[in-house]
Amino acid sequence: MELLQNKLRPNLLKDVLGQEHLIGKDKILSNLVKNKKLFNIILYGSSGCGKTTIALALVNELKTRYRMLNATINSKKDFEIVIEEAKMYGNIILIVDEIHRMNKDKQDLLLSYIESGLITLIGLTNSNPYHSINPAIRSRCQLLELHSLTENDIEKGIKRVKNVLEDIEIDNKTIKYIAKLSSGDIRYAYNLIEFLYYGYNKKVTIDNIKLIGNTPSFFTDKNEDGHYDMLSAFQKSIRGSDVDAALHYLARLIVSGDYDSIYRRMLVIAYEDIGLANPTMGQKVVAAIEASERIGYPELVKPLSVAVIDMALSPKSNSADTAINLAIKDINEGNVGRIPNHIKTTSKDYKYPHNYPNYWVKQQYLPDPIKDKKYYFPRKNKYEIEMTNFNKKIKEEK
């Protein structure tokens, strides 16, 4: 049975939802069709934003020969067959879905044919091509970002369903509800509607949606950029002391069910962003994580929310993170030197600080070439100010 999403896929660029920055009067993709010209391109953007639809609309409007392969599913032999077909006809458009997963063998096979123009490549990916696609492939392509569809775009797409399912029962309130749930993913909307249409005797209602427990669609795949964008937004909200934003992204991550990523990122934040401004935060986060693991969902939201609010409202300091990164930078650049003899294992010249007043004695610890090097620069928070003043005081006393 052909899926609803495929039945509703537009054949013409002008019918594609959204992407007004690429499609329309004097816009790049529309002009390519107008001029009957196509170049190697990579279309990247979130799930359900129209990458495949645009690729197929392009080849349809240009009335050109094409083949569509998946970088993960199709073998090297499948790619070789397309190349042989291209040799027979002089050129072929090759659409490669999930191009960021294409292995080196397939990339090496395609490169020379893309370079010669025998293959015109349209790559499709959810991932950021600047990070995930081989530079050799990337440099031969124009990169075009597709934007997530708006709720208005999704509503427009849902209203087209009646062109295929003429007897569907769905009102405007339900259309708006599904558009909000879809979070810019039209495929999600179509699949949900089709499921409800056949599951509830053609009645698509908000009550029926709630009965099957559907939650908003957003990136939860650990391999997609959106997942890392959400973790990034979570950390930056805590770092920026925006407690409400921090709770919002925590909630999204909890709904996605990826608790391990939440735990790891909270620990990173405790030591990277809060650090010495509130040095007990690491222990608090560990305690919250242990409590969450013990009580499980849904109760785990309680210790996690307490910890996240505490982290967002806490004073911040990245002095420790900055200090160790400066030290590592010196090591990588060769700024090291020999360990001073008096602090080597067998030295008899070492001065044991505990034998001196205030448990401190002046002596050199860093190697000679960097003996005056400074890595740690305290920030202006209560804990670091107190510790810095204490350290300064004991060194000044005779």
Side-chain angles (χ1 to χ4, degrees):
M1 182 182 76
E2 186 179 12
L3 294 174
L4 178 62
Q5 66 183 49
N6 294 327
K7 291 178 182 178
L8 290 168
R9 191 187 301 281
N11 292 316
L12 303 174
L13 281 179
K14 69 179 182 65
D15 296 324
V16 171
L17 297 169
Q19 314 313 329
E20 289 86 357
H21 62 301
L22 299 175
I23 299 169
K25 185 178 179 181
D26 293 328
K27 297 300 171 63
I28 183 71
L29 293 181
S30 298
N31 283 340
L32 289 178
V33 170
K34 178 182 176 181
N35 295 315
K36 294 181 172 53
K37 191 71 175 176
L38 190 60
F39 299 86
N40 300 309
I41 58 174
I42 292 175
L43 302 173
Y44 70 101
S46 58
S47 295
C49 68
K51 297 181 294 294
T52 302
T53 296
I54 288 175
L56 293 174
L58 282 171
V59 297
N60 179 63
E61 292 205 51
L62 290 169
K63 296 179 173 57
T64 184
R65 187 177 301 277
Y66 80 94
R67 290 290 178 266
M68 185 168 184
L69 299 177
N70 184 292
T72 303
I73 297 171
N74 292 104
S75 66
K76 184 179 178 182
K77 182 67 177 176
D78 295 325
F79 283 82
E80 290 173 342
I81 291 171
V82 173
I83 290 169
E84 291 305 312
E85 188 174 353
K87 290 177 181 177
M88 289 174 58
Y89 294 100
N91 176 262
I92 200 166
I93 308 297
L94 175 59
I95 302 171
V96 180
D97 197 9
E98 296 192 87
I99 192 171
H100 62 285
R101 299 183 188 275
M102 190 161 60
N103 63 31
K104 190 175 185 300
D105 283 350
K106 295 170 187 173
Q107 290 177 22
D108 291 344
L109 175 66
L110 286 179
L111 273 175
S112 62
Y113 298 108
I114 293 172
E115 187 73 31
S116 69
L118 190 69
I119 296 285
T120 301
L121 177 68
I122 301 179
L124 312 176
T125 178
N126 290 341
S127 296
N128 188 328
Y130 294 99
H131 300 152
S132 61
I133 293 178
N134 184 296
I137 293 284
R138 194 175 67 228
S139 67
R140 290 164 171 81
C141 298
Q142 301 300 317
L143 309 181
L144 300 178
E145 181 178 10
L146 273 60
H147 298 162
S148 294
L149 300 181
T150 66
E151 287 183 19
N152 285 336
D153 293 330
I154 300 292
E155 288 177 29
K156 183 178 177 182
I158 293 173
K159 288 175 182 177
R160 294 176 181 177
V161 170
K162 291 184 179 180
N163 296 333
V164 176
L165 304 176
E166 296 178 0
D167 55 353
I168 189 172
E169 296 181 32
I170 184 170
D171 59 28
N172 286 333
K173 191 174 180 181
T174 305
I175 290 174
K176 289 182 179 295
Y177 185 77
I178 294 173
K180 189 176 289 292
L181 278 181
S182 300
S183 298
D185 185 342
I186 190 63
R187 185 190 299 113
Y188 172 93
Y190 287 155
N191 288 342
L192 175 59
I193 289 169
E194 188 171 26
F195 182 66
L196 292 164
Y197 175 82
Y198 289 106
Y200 287 108
N201 299 318
K202 305 172 185 177
K203 296 178 181 179
V204 179
T205 67
I206 294 175
D207 288 340
N208 287 341
I209 294 170
K210 290 180 177 178
L211 280 174
I212 62 173
N214 265 56
T215 56
S217 168
F218 45 74
F219 286 105
T220 57
D221 185 343
K222 295 181 182 180
N223 296 316
E224 291 184 349
D225 282 349
H227 172 76
Y228 295 104
D229 287 343
M230 204 186 307
L231 288 169
S232 174
F234 177 56
Q235 179 167 4
K236 287 170 182 171
S237 297
I238 294 175
R239 181 186 296 154
S241 301
D242 190 325
V243 65
D244 298 301
L247 287 169
H248 172 80
Y249 292 114
L250 173 65
R252 289 175 68 163
L253 288 163
I254 287 172
V255 171
S256 79
D258 186 12
Y259 308 131
D260 286 342
S261 290
I262 298 173
Y263 301 155
R264 286 194 299 270
R265 189 57 62 109
M266 286 175 65
L267 285 168
V268 168
I269 297 166
Y271 291 100
E272 177 183 342
D273 295 307
I274 296 171
L276 290 169
N278 189 352
T280 62
M281 185 57 71
Q283 299 168 26
K284 291 181 179 180
V285 170
V286 169
I289 291 170
E290 289 177 349
S292 299
E293 290 177 329
R294 179 168 294 186
I295 62 181
Y297 185 82
E299 286 80 4
L300 61 77
V301 304
K302 304 179 192 309
L304 290 183
S305 62
V306 168
V308 166
I309 292 170
D310 196 3
M311 294 168 80
L313 297 178
S314 172
K316 311 294 190 297
S317 173
N318 69 340
S319 59
D321 186 56
T322 300
I324 189 60
N325 286 332
L326 287 173
I328 291 172
K329 183 174 181 288
D330 259 0
I331 304 306
N332 290 334
E333 293 177 353
N335 298 324
V336 284
R338 293 181 179 277
I339 297 171
N341 288 329
H342 63 277
I343 59 170
K344 289 182 178 178
T345 306
T346 57
S347 174
K348 296 180 180 179
D349 298 321
Y350 172 59
K351 296 177 182 178
Y352 188 57
H354 293 286
N355 292 336
Y356 294 84
N358 297 323
Y359 312 104
W360 180 84
V361 60
K362 185 175 183 178
Q363 63 186 325
Q364 180 182 328
Y365 293 97
L366 280 170
D368 286 337
I370 54 171
K371 65 179 182 178
D372 297 318
K373 187 76 175 184
K374 299 290 182 186
Y375 297 118
Y376 172 65
F377 298 94
R379 302 295 190 263
K380 293 182 179 180
N381 59 76
K382 183 178 179 181
Y383 184 84
E384 286 186 270
I385 289 171
E386 288 181 354
M387 292 301 98
T388 301
N389 288 340
F390 173 78
N391 195 260
K392 182 179 179 182
K393 182 179 178 181
I394 64 172
K395 290 179 181 179
E396 288 175 346
E397 290 179 359
K398 301 296 183 183

